Amino acid sequence: MKKVFIILSFMAGLGGLTGCSDYLDSDYLFDERMSIEDVFTNKDYTNRWLAQGYAYLGDNALQDICSKRTLPFNFADDMYYGDGGYKEWKSGDYSENGVNGCSENVWKMAYQGVRQVSIFLNNIDMNKEFTAEEISDFKGQAHFLRAYFYWAMLRLFGPVPIIPDEGLDYMNSYDELACPRNSYDECVAYITDELLKAANVLPLQRSVQEIARPTRGAALALRAKVLLFAASPLYNGKAPATVSAALINKDGKHLLPDAYDESKWAKAAAAAKDVMDLNFYELYTSPATTISNGIAYPATVTPPYDKEFSDKDWPNGWRNIDPFESYRSLFNGSVAASSNPELIFTRGTNVGSEDIRVMVIHQLPRLTGGGYNSQGMTQKQCDAYYMNDGEDCPGMNDMYKDRAGYMGRYNAQKREEGFVTEEELVNYPELGQLGVGVSKQYVQREPRFYASVAYNGGTWNYLKALNDDDHDEQSNVQVFYYRGGGNDGYKSSSYWLRTGIGIKKYVHPDDISYTQKNSYDVSRVVFKPDPAIRYAEVLLMYAEALNELSGTYEVPSWDGSKTHSIKRDITEMKKGIHPVRIRAGLPDYGVDVYNDIDKFRMKLKRERQIELFAEGHRYFDLRRWMDAPEEESASVYGCNIYATSEMREEFHTPVMCTSLPTIFAEKMWFCPINHTELKRNAMLVQNPGWTDPE
């Protein structure tokens, strides 16, 4: 007699691929039970089956960039949200379910996605209604999706079980169904192999209607990202001993490498070079203009003169581009995904209810913008942005000067004092027309600062403001965060910024909300396609990987058509740094930085902190670099939000934010595996610092 057991959630449904099951239970797609042949010989049903794979990737749990409502992984030492969930997250005060069940949902949705596309790959060839070219493209998409599902789990949980491509027979016994975790290197090998399969058949470009489907560049860029992580200290033989000792399967198999392998950096650099050599992507730029189109669209603010970049046109200089608008409009919805040469992969509209617009309404001021005014920036992140001449801001990171990990990363000068007067405003065009009263700590900063930081006294545009029987809204409002005075500063409610520093990234001049009457109202927030993978990231990956090399490595290109000679070459490193810095209107690093591996590494990390802010990278970067124990345990600082406008100097003196706790414990290297999964899979081992079920 056949035995039917409760099986692992990540295997649920995979039994339909082999053995005794003739039917697919897909009630989310079909109203009746259909055989595999019924589905995969029908053009419409086959399309819908693949579409469901994309739906899993678009689920709230699997977003790369997301509001705190679903995933907290956008929040490390750079940004925060102002309610109890943040305190739980940053204190490690959550269970094996994660915060709001987030880690459990990632595991569940990712393995369901693996199931979905695996069934597709195993059966698509029986469909005769598609051409050979269409089937080939479908297979490439499915391989990409399967790789992405595994990648989403790998970066969060560390090594995970790789399910056999042909599936599992759910009629097998419990012990036969149990799967141990594969090693990190095995996971990387599987994912990158899937991405090579995808790259070999995917097109280089998609139509507007298919913009959210992967291309060859998307597969190669994700491959480079996976290989960069594999080369990083945590996953390349340098993990803390306690972490390595905990990540061992029950049969004694080590899940993390025991020895460092420099060649992994060369493979990552070569993979990034593969994307660059496609000659298809470039950084998005907006043209310079001498004409102001209102407060929201000012004339180009020319960066200070630099002999190397000021007199040259893009891409060799910034003479004919607007660095501020180039960066701002890249994220705020001004540029359609199909018109963005920098966007390598995006989900487009294939996202759950928690798209970037929900994040934006948490950033919008409460009184004037109708948002939640609760998602903000730390002083550390605010200080990271350069001055407009490429120098550090005075007093940068001075609150951490006594911490060993900040050697060479703070500025000993006194922070700027004083506030911009009406007469002085002409000297600070970067502030716009409404800059009177702004602290001089916020003047003459780099363009990305003004596109990302909602500093005290900054202007919010609200160009779609309404003034009728139901609305009393104004456009172009200068917003201050001082306590009291009817502004958006500290108050007894939840709607205030804990550091007195907000976030402007992703905010379009039109954006405004009405959450006072309609909770989570995004109806007047411009849609923003998520930048899941963009070219600036690939360039920075290339520079980072090259910096870590001491030897020369010959690495075949992705398709074997040539061989990359990879070494620490300054000319090549500049290919990764120059475009990002030029687009930002900033001069290059000095020779002393390029000649010093440690100095360049420090600068590269800071460049990622600035350029990729609020894109879901910082949390994972700090872990792969093994910087998280130092960075995430350092106290959060911000403005003194209890100060009134009469105490404005005190307001702008950094103070510790006691309402934003910090800690880093062993269990925070990786997210926990839910107890339910551990009970279902006798071979599964828990992550370091987390408990096993009783």
Side-chain angles (χ1 to χ4, degrees):
M1 188 173 86
K2 294 180 179 177
K3 298 179 180 179
V4 180
F5 290 83
I6 297 175
I7 62 173
L8 313 177
S9 66
F10 61 80
M11 297 177 191
L14 282 173
L17 278 74
T18 62
C20 304
S21 180
D22 294 325
Y23 295 93
L24 301 174
D25 291 323
S26 303
D27 53 359
Y28 56 81
L29 186 57
F30 306 113
D31 294 329
E32 58 188 46
R33 291 170 64 84
M34 309 186 84
S35 70
I36 291 175
E37 186 175 357
D38 289 337
V39 173
F40 288 100
T41 56
N42 180 286
K43 187 173 186 177
D44 181 55
Y45 287 157
T46 301
N47 270 320
R48 290 166 66 187
W49 192 276
L50 181 59
Q52 181 61 28
Y54 282 100
Y56 284 120
L57 187 64
D59 186 87
N60 288 335
L62 291 178
Q63 301 305 299
D64 286 281
I65 306 164
C66 198
S67 145
K68 60 95 177 179
R69 288 232 305 163
T70 302
L71 293 175
F73 309 120
N74 229 25
F75 304 86
D77 62 339
D78 53 347
M79 55 191 293
Y80 63 87
Y81 53 94
D83 59 25
Y86 178 88
K87 183 177 181 179
E88 294 173 7
W89 172 242
K90 295 297 289 183
S91 300
D93 185 21
Y94 51 93
S95 72
E96 281 70 14
N97 291 329
V99 177
N100 299 325
C102 59
S103 57
E104 177 187 16
N105 292 336
V106 173
W107 185 280
K108 176 182 177 181
M109 288 296 133
Y111 272 118
Q112 286 183 351
V114 168
R115 161 201 181 270
Q116 187 76 16
V117 296
S118 294
I119 293 174
F120 183 89
L121 283 166
N122 286 339
N123 294 283
I124 180 60
D125 282 326
M126 72 171 67
N127 196 307
K128 305 305 179 186
E129 296 186 18
F130 294 107
T131 66
E133 291 77 15
E134 288 174 321
I135 289 179
S136 180
D137 183 22
F138 283 159
K139 287 182 177 179
Q141 294 177 49
H143 282 298
F144 177 88
L145 288 172
R146 188 155 64 184
Y148 216 108
F149 290 129
Y150 277 118
W151 163 242
M153 291 187 287
L154 183 65
R155 67 181 179 180
L156 195 60
F157 300 102
V160 294
I162 300 292
I163 306 305
D165 291 347
E166 66 275 10
L168 294 154
D169 189 342
Y170 74 88
M171 300 302 289
N172 288 339
S173 70
Y174 178 88
D175 290 338
E176 290 174 307
L177 286 168
C179 290
R181 296 170 75 166
N182 287 79
S183 71
Y184 194 91
D185 284 347
E186 287 171 345
C187 291
V188 168
Y190 180 86
I191 293 171
T192 54
D193 183 60
E194 285 290 283
L195 293 168
L196 285 178
K197 291 176 182 177
N200 272 297
V201 295
L202 289 175
L204 191 58
Q205 188 172 12
R206 293 280 183 191
S207 66
V208 174
Q209 293 78 14
E210 294 186 323
I211 197 64
R213 300 203 175 202
T215 60
R216 183 182 309 154
L220 294 179
L222 181 57
R223 175 174 172 262
K225 192 170 185 174
V226 173
L227 290 173
L228 184 81
F229 270 62
S232 300
L234 182 61
Y235 309 112
N236 193 6
K238 296 186 177 182
T242 53
V243 174
S244 294
L247 285 173
I248 299 177
N249 277 344
K250 294 181 178 181
D251 62 359
K253 179 178 179 177
H254 287 242
L255 300 181
L256 293 180
D258 293 325
Y260 176 71
D261 181 358
E262 183 182 278
S263 70
K264 290 182 178 181
W265 287 110
K267 293 174 184 176
K273 191 66 163 61
D274 282 334
V275 182
M276 296 162 68
D277 285 352
L278 292 175
N279 295 314
F280 186 77
Y281 302 103
E282 62 182 59
L283 300 191
Y284 172 79
T285 57
S286 182
T289 177
T290 58
I291 302 173
S292 174
N293 190 19
I295 294 177
Y297 296 96
T300 300
V301 177
T302 305
Y305 184 79
D306 181 88
K307 63 181 181 181
E308 187 175 358
F309 302 120
S310 291
D311 297 327
K312 299 175 184 176
D313 288 340
W314 174 261
N316 299 311
W318 56 62
R319 179 171 57 184
N320 64 335
I321 66 170
D322 185 328
F324 165 74
E325 191 59 38
S326 295
Y327 190 78
R328 179 177 75 160
S329 58
L330 176 62
F331 305 102
N332 67 12
S334 294
V335 185
S338 58
S339 302
N340 188 344
E342 184 170 347
L343 203 54
I344 298 177
F345 180 65
T346 178
R347 291 167 178 77
T349 58
N350 180 37
V351 290
S353 59
E354 303 298 320
D355 61 36
I356 295 176
R357 291 177 299 171
V358 176
M359 190 161 80
V360 166
I361 65 170
H362 284 88
Q363 296 169 197
L364 290 171
R366 184 68 173 174
L367 295 181
T368 58
Y372 287 114
N373 194 39
S374 60
Q375 206 156 280
M377 179 183 293
T378 64
Q379 186 72 52
K380 180 194 293 186
Q381 179 66 30
C382 182
D383 284 357
Y385 294 92
Y386 291 93
M387 302 300 289
N388 60 7
D389 60 0
E391 296 296 322
D392 296 338
C393 71
M396 179 192 75
N397 285 338
D398 59 0
M399 56 278 191
Y400 303 123
K401 62 184 178 181
D402 295 326
R403 293 182 70 98
Y406 283 79
M407 184 67 65
R409 297 173 52 208
Y410 67 88
N411 184 286
Q413 293 177 277
K414 186 178 181 180
R415 290 179 182 267
E416 293 287 348
E417 296 181 344
F419 299 85
V420 177
T421 65
E422 184 73 45
E423 295 74 25
E424 293 174 315
L425 189 58
V426 66
N427 299 322
Y428 306 117
E430 66 276 3
L431 300 182
Q433 299 176 31
L434 301 177
V436 174
V438 170
S439 168
K440 290 187 178 179
Q441 290 185 33
Y442 302 140
V443 303
Q444 296 180 338
R445 302 294 287 272
E446 61 155 296
R448 290 177 297 186
F449 176 91
Y450 299 102
S452 304
V453 184
Y455 54 87
N456 189 41
T459 301
W460 293 78
N461 301 119
Y462 313 135
L463 298 187
K464 295 295 185 181
L466 298 175
N467 198 335
D468 53 29
D469 292 340
D470 297 318
H471 303 83
D472 183 16
E473 301 167 350
Q474 293 182 335
S475 297
N476 298 316
V477 180
Q478 192 176 15
V479 175
F480 289 95
Y481 302 118
Y482 297 118
R483 180 177 181 174
N487 54 35
D488 278 291
Y490 169 78
K491 50 181 65 70
S492 59
S493 70
S494 299
Y495 309 117
W496 52 279
L497 295 172
R498 271 59 179 172
T499 63
I501 307 170
I503 299 173
K504 271 284 188 72
K505 191 165 179 177
Y506 299 112
V507 177
H508 190 281
D510 288 350
D511 289 346
I512 195 168
S513 189
Y514 201 32
T515 55
Q516 291 95 326
K517 288 193 175 181
N518 301 311
S519 181
Y520 296 101
D521 173 30
V522 297
S523 61
R524 288 191 289 158
V525 177
V526 175
F527 179 78
K528 303 100 175 31
D530 72 307
I533 308 176
R534 61 186 178 94
Y535 192 49
E537 182 189 355
V538 172
L539 295 176
L540 293 175
M541 287 194 292
Y542 184 56
E544 178 182 354
L546 290 178
N547 181 59
E548 300 298 332
L549 298 174
S550 61
T552 301
Y553 299 85
E554 303 300 317
V555 184
S557 64
W558 72 276
D559 60 356
S561 63
K562 58 184 175 181
T563 299
H564 299 294
S565 185
I566 303 295
K567 61 181 179 179
R568 191 182 189 280
D569 184 301
I570 291 177
T571 300
E572 289 297 309
M573 291 162 65
K574 287 186 175 184
K575 291 180 180 179
I577 295 297
H578 267 193
V580 175
R581 299 279 291 183
I582 293 172
R583 198 257 300 271
L586 290 174
D588 194 12
Y589 306 142
V591 175
D592 62 319
V593 172
Y594 278 105
N595 286 337
D596 188 308
I597 292 176
D598 294 331
K599 285 184 179 180
F600 187 87
R601 184 187 300 120
M602 188 183 301
K603 288 286 189 180
L604 185 285
K605 290 178 178 181
R606 183 174 173 186
E607 204 66 49
R608 285 184 65 94
Q609 181 183 0
I610 297 169
E611 176 68 24
L612 304 177
F613 169 69
E615 296 180 52
H617 294 280
R618 183 73 174 168
Y619 173 90
F620 297 106
D621 278 349
L622 291 180
R623 281 155 179 76
R624 70 179 177 89
W625 291 330
M626 292 178 55
D627 291 344
E630 172 66 36
E631 299 289 2
E632 295 218 46
S633 65
S635 298
V636 171
Y637 282 79
C639 298
N640 185 349
I641 46 84
Y642 300 112
T644 64
S645 57
E646 288 75 27
M647 305 165 62
R648 55 185 187 172
E649 286 288 3
E650 288 86 347
F651 180 92
H652 294 95
T653 301
V655 297
M656 188 184 301
C657 300
T658 56
S659 64
L660 301 176
T662 57
I663 190 176
F664 191 85
E666 184 177 77
K667 69 177 186 177
M668 300 173 81
W669 286 110
F670 299 103
C671 275
I673 298 175
N674 188 270
H675 279 177
T676 301
E677 304 302 332
L678 293 166
K679 290 178 180 178
R680 288 172 173 169
N681 184 352
M683 300 294 290
L684 201 59
V685 294
Q686 180 61 285
N687 272 328
W690 296 100
T691 65
D692 289 309
E694 297 178 357

